[in-house]
Amino acid sequence: MAKVLIVANWKMNPATYQEAKSIAEMTKRAAGKNKGVSVIICPPVVYLRELARGSRSALFGIQDLSYEDGGAFTGEISARMAHSAGARYAIIGHSERRHSGETGEVIAKKIAAALLARLTPILCIGENVRDNAGDYLSTVRAQLMEGLSEITSSEIAKVIIAYEPVWAIGKGAADAIVPADLHEMSIYIKKVLAERLDRGKALKASILYGGSVEAENAYAILHHGSVDGFLVGHASLDVKEFPLLINAVA
Ligand code: PGA
């Protein structure tokens, strides 16, 4: 059976390297005890190399990258730099980045740049609100198609899709999506992917869910929501909660 993928998105936390180290150690311990899960820690980039060094029980990723390969781009990090610091995954197009102005076109270029540097892209998509007319489906479809527009179909098969409805991010377990709605969304995403991939490959695509996943709701969402794992924000920084979450899905 394929391993359940749990991606820890630390966002701009914690404030010091000491805290980062202890959260990473806790995460590696919990991951090491549960063979059925694969845990990917995405810390702020200043902590990446140090935390990733010699790590066997957890893999590492970056929360964003530049699509440029190098040069006069103050403050930016390239995909190759991230790879050389120990990242093997890259979260791209997170809603918090889209909110600060990142366009679909830029996201598509970042996905291509990540693949070129041998990073597995985790493309984040998700609507701001759910409306009765089903406009949220068009939003998800457009974000997906746009994000994958710069790569070939054989490359698309390597991309992990993270469905993160913005209305469910950063709240509590009770505010996460209900598993039946996620099940439907997972089918819809595969149907859209089948426009670019052959059906068999589209059905096998890795889909994660993100938005208020905690130890309490993780098992139900995973098993009834038809996803391959989670992108976890606040719960991944909680040294008590996160091991419980990992155990719950393993
Ligand atoms: P959350 O964040 O788990 O705190 O809702 C998820 C995310 O933004 O990736």
Side-chain angles (χ1 to χ4, degrees):
M1 225 178 81
K3 290 190 178 196
V4 178
L5 213 60
I6 303 180
V7 182
N9 177 13
W10 288 6
K11 309 190 179 185
M12 199 168 74
N13 300 294
T16 67
Y17 174 67
Q18 278 318 314
E19 290 168 88
K21 198 168 158 217
S22 68
I23 298 168
E25 276 165 8
M26 161 282 285
T27 304
K28 289 178 193 172
R29 264 198 307 279
K33 280 193 225 142
N34 289 291
K35 300 295 171 217
V37 298
S38 182
V39 179
I40 298 151
I41 303 173
C42 300
V45 77
V46 285
Y47 305 142
L48 180 62
R49 174 180 294 282
E50 209 50 44
L51 297 181
R53 180 174 296 143
S55 170
R56 267 175 306 186
S57 39
L59 292 167
F60 282 80
I62 188 165
Q63 300 172 13
D64 181 38
L65 45 77
S66 166
Y67 61 75
E68 299 287 355
D69 193 44
F73 303 100
T74 302
E76 300 285 349
I77 307 283
S78 76
R80 279 206 291 166
M81 289 172 189
H83 190 282
S84 96
R88 294 295 175 265
Y89 292 80
I91 297 173
I92 295 173
H94 190 278
S95 61
E96 285 149 19
R97 301 216 58 87
R98 291 182 191 261
H99 185 73
S100 57
E102 191 162 288
T103 62
E105 200 181 320
V106 166
I107 290 165
K109 288 185 183 171
K110 290 183 174 184
I111 296 277
L115 285 166
L116 203 62
R118 290 176 292 121
L119 297 174
T120 298
I122 301 170
L123 170 62
C124 299
I125 55 172
E127 76 279 5
N128 289 329
V129 287
R130 281 220 164 186
D131 57 294
N132 292 330
D135 283 347
Y136 67 94
L137 293 173
S138 324
T139 304
V140 166
R141 184 175 192 287
Q143 290 179 346
L144 194 54
M145 290 309 247
E146 203 166 17
L148 301 174
S149 62
E150 294 279 328
I151 57 176
T152 63
S153 50
S154 64
E155 289 170 325
I156 291 176
K158 297 180 192 155
V159 178
I160 296 171
I161 309 296
Y163 171 63
E164 296 205 296
V166 179
W167 50 265
I169 291 179
K171 298 183 178 160
D175 300 295
I177 197 166
V178 294
D181 289 349
L182 181 59
H183 174 74
E184 226 168 64
M185 182 54 82
S186 173
I187 293 172
Y188 179 70
I189 289 171
K190 288 179 180 174
K191 203 168 134 58
V192 175
L193 285 174
E195 294 174 29
R196 293 280 318 270
L197 287 176
D198 73 52
R199 212 176 115 79
K201 286 212 177 92
L203 287 174
K204 275 200 228 128
S206 278
I207 301 180
L208 309 180
Y209 167 75
S212 296
V213 178
E214 295 180 352
E216 184 188 328
N217 59 5
Y219 182 84
I221 297 179
L222 184 72
H223 289 278
H224 304 296
S226 313
V227 287
D228 305 282
F230 296 120
L231 183 47
V232 184
H234 65 275
S236 71
L237 293 154
D238 185 322
V239 294
K240 289 207 179 81
E241 180 79 14
F242 201 45
L244 292 176
L245 193 160
I246 292 173
N247 293 340
V249 302

